[in-house]
Amino acid sequence: MNGGIIMDNLVKRFSHDDNEIISLRNRQINDIDNIQYPKIGKIKLTDFNLDKLNVMYVKEEKHHELGDINKLIDDDDNIIVLKDGNIIYTNLDQAFQQVKIMSYYDALTANDGEVINLFKERFNKNVDNKLIALNKAYQNSLLYISVPQNVVIKETLKIHIIGEKSDLIHYTMIVGGKSSELTIVEKIENLNPIKVNYLSEVRVLDNAKIQYIGIDRLSEKTNAFIGRYGYVYDNGSLIYALGQLNDGNVISDNVIKLLGKNANGESRNVLLTDKTNIHAVTVNIEHLAPYSNGKITNHGIVKDQGYLHVDGIGKINQGMSKSNSLQQTSIITLSKDAKVDSNPYLLIDEYDVMAGHGAAVGKVDSEQLYYLMSRGLSKQEAEKLIILGFLYPIIELIESDKIKTNFIKTIEKKLSI
């Protein structure tokens, strides 16, 4: 490659960056061709064209009202709206005054060294995953959230991340300080058929608790990578509850690393695939400390000619005694042409642990159907009740009735029930 040409293109795309960051981006781009895509079954990630990006910096000012975006918002209490990398709207009450919330562009304007250095430090981490390397090189959207030590937030923080005028290459960093607590409901959407490369990292420090509810609603003709990575330290707790309801092709990578003694990590996933879309999901909880607990729950629904690939991985490394690793995957197929691959893995290198897994793929349970119909429900009503029951692992964590109602409506619309 010609480095000078790359540099010129980067200056045009990212003119807000300083020379050091442009140089770091340039170096990462030069390395991308030498980095491989991850292997996911028989899926050819090259067909997704996630490396063919139309990325640019889009400047937008903050608004006092939501305007046309209002139709996307379920509940505007305690909300942040990030559109094309810009925080365009906030409505936060007193409880969040101690929480640091900043976009990359705001950090540049304020010359905030903490956020800018975080961005630069990403380039010093070597990666062997091309999807993550692309995120580092072309990132045009960033959100930083930090909860100070001993700060407990009872209200739910709602985050809307929206892409419209450019391919969205986004990175979120969330830090829960020691003995802090926070619940987040995050929604990712796009207004035009763009590509999306979304990556978030959550750091849960000693004795902290974070509940992270994610609702992904990317539109048709969208190819996307969504990676969520959590790191949990001593006595910390992280719960991922992810409703992946996209209308396009999506590669999802959900990873929790339990780094501290008595760390707890849970990944709950509702996966809905329809039409001719491909949804490839990897859920991985790795135990890197003793007395750690990991639990994976995957509930999938596949219809039409959709293809759902799920890899569930529980890994307990040697020496991580008294750890527990559990996973359960249940997938309902609603058409004869639906395709499913479900692969539960337990990788155990320690004797003094508890571990188990199970996987079930099939149609709506006939015994449950018979029981409900015997109580007076029609077959369609009974099927609807069983399918909506699949949502419970996520619904029980959503406090907002408006978000809960619209989440259910989205499911019903996609399933036409």
Side-chain angles (χ1 to χ4, degrees):
M1 286 188 177
N2 186 316
I5 293 175
I6 293 173
M7 181 69 78
D8 289 344
N9 288 336
L10 285 173
V11 169
K12 292 175 183 177
R13 290 182 177 187
F14 304 107
S15 58
H16 54 286
D17 286 341
D18 62 27
N19 289 334
E20 181 184 0
I21 292 178
I22 289 177
S23 179
L24 290 168
R25 288 189 189 268
N26 185 43
R27 187 181 71 187
Q28 182 68 68
I29 287 174
N30 276 321
D31 290 342
I32 282 176
D33 286 345
N34 300 318
I35 302 173
Q36 302 298 313
Y37 284 113
K39 293 183 179 180
I40 305 175
K42 298 180 180 179
I43 297 172
K44 295 181 179 179
L45 295 190
T46 51
D47 293 344
F48 285 65
N49 293 319
L50 289 169
D51 58 344
K52 294 177 173 59
L53 297 170
N54 177 24
V55 183
M56 63 188 72
Y57 163 56
V58 178
K59 183 62 179 173
E60 187 168 352
E61 301 299 327
K62 286 187 179 180
H63 307 300
H64 297 296
E65 297 180 354
L66 285 167
D68 293 340
I69 300 297
N70 188 60
K71 62 186 178 183
L72 302 178
I73 307 302
D74 301 325
D75 187 340
D76 65 356
D77 288 332
N78 294 316
I79 190 173
I80 303 167
V81 180
L82 191 84
K83 181 168 171 284
D84 291 325
N86 303 276
I87 296 177
I88 63 166
Y89 181 81
T90 60
N91 180 27
L92 301 174
D93 67 19
Q94 194 83 7
F96 292 95
Q97 280 200 344
Q98 298 180 73
V99 179
K100 183 173 183 176
I101 300 171
M102 186 168 283
S103 74
Y104 174 56
Y105 303 134
D106 287 342
L108 290 175
T109 301
N111 195 27
D112 188 292
E114 180 182 8
V115 178
I116 294 171
N117 287 335
L118 167 70
F119 179 71
K120 291 179 179 179
E121 287 170 6
R122 295 189 68 207
F123 291 100
N124 295 324
K125 299 177 181 178
N126 294 324
V127 296
D128 58 4
N129 183 326
K130 192 170 205 171
L131 296 168
I132 296 175
L134 287 163
N135 186 281
K136 288 167 59 177
Y138 292 105
Q139 176 200 303
N140 62 352
S141 177
L142 178 148
L143 184 63
Y144 178 75
I145 300 171
S146 180
V147 185
Q149 182 174 333
N150 297 320
V151 172
V152 176
I153 307 294
K154 297 297 185 182
E155 290 81 359
T156 298
L157 176 63
K158 306 172 188 73
I159 304 169
H160 280 251
I161 298 174
I162 300 168
E164 180 184 23
K165 298 176 182 177
S166 163
D167 287 345
L168 180 66
I169 316 299
H170 177 85
Y171 173 74
T172 291
M173 168 61 77
I174 300 168
V175 179
K178 293 181 179 180
S179 301
S180 66
E181 293 185 22
L182 179 66
T183 296
I184 291 170
V185 174
E186 173 194 73
K187 195 172 182 182
I188 307 173
E189 294 192 84
N190 59 308
L191 302 180
N192 287 314
I194 59 175
K195 291 188 179 73
V196 175
N197 185 316
Y198 168 95
L199 192 152
S200 75
E201 293 187 44
V202 180
R203 297 176 186 172
V204 185
L205 303 188
D206 297 355
N207 300 296
K209 296 179 180 178
I210 289 184
Q211 289 190 154
Y212 181 124
I213 301 145
I215 301 173
D216 305 337
R217 284 293 295 123
L218 299 175
S219 66
E220 291 185 89
K221 300 180 181 179
T222 300
N223 290 339
F225 165 65
I226 300 176
R228 293 183 170 101
Y229 303 92
Y231 305 89
V232 189
Y233 295 84
D234 288 354
N235 301 298
S237 176
L238 171 62
I239 298 177
Y240 278 138
L242 307 175
Q244 300 177 55
L245 314 178
N246 301 295
D247 291 330
N249 300 312
V250 179
I251 306 300
S252 297
D253 193 21
N254 308 319
V255 178
I256 298 176
K257 292 185 181 291
L258 303 174
L259 302 173
K261 189 176 181 180
N262 294 313
N264 179 73
E266 184 174 355
S267 185
R268 310 179 184 187
N269 302 279
V270 170
L271 315 167
L272 202 161
T273 309
D274 59 359
K275 301 172 185 173
T276 59
N277 295 324
I278 298 171
H279 192 182
V281 183
T282 300
V283 185
N284 185 346
I285 298 183
E286 183 175 5
H287 298 252
L288 294 160
Y291 296 90
S292 53
N293 297 285
K295 184 178 181 181
I296 297 171
T297 304
N298 297 319
H299 286 178
I301 303 169
V302 192
K303 60 175 291 194
D304 306 325
Q305 298 176 39
Y307 174 37
L308 175 62
H309 179 106
V310 182
D311 288 334
I313 304 168
K315 183 176 182 180
I316 301 179
N317 291 284
Q318 187 174 12
M320 308 310 155
S321 59
K322 307 296 184 183
S323 293
N324 299 324
S325 177
L326 300 173
Q327 63 170 291
Q328 179 63 48
T329 297
S330 300
I331 299 173
I332 293 176
T333 57
L334 298 179
S335 69
K336 62 181 179 61
D337 295 321
K339 298 179 182 178
V340 176
D341 283 329
S342 177
N343 307 296
Y345 299 100
L346 284 177
L347 309 176
I348 311 298
D349 290 331
E350 176 60 45
Y351 291 102
D352 189 14
V353 300
M354 292 182 63
H357 66 72
V361 178
K363 297 180 180 181
V364 174
D365 188 281
S366 58
E367 291 186 5
Q368 292 180 351
L369 200 61
Y370 175 79
Y371 175 81
L372 292 172
M373 291 176 67
S374 71
R375 295 300 187 270
L377 295 179
S378 67
K379 182 179 179 181
Q380 184 178 17
E381 290 171 333
E383 286 181 337
K384 176 180 178 179
L385 195 60
I386 292 169
I387 291 170
L388 292 181
F390 256 39
L391 309 180
Y392 184 74
I394 293 179
I395 285 179
E396 67 169 332
L397 298 180
I398 300 175
E399 293 185 357
S400 168
D401 289 335
K402 293 178 181 177
I403 294 176
K404 194 179 299 186
T405 298
N406 284 333
F407 182 67
I408 293 172
K409 284 181 179 179
T410 298
I411 294 282
E412 290 178 335
K413 183 178 180 180
K414 283 179 72 68
L415 297 177
S416 300
I417 57 177

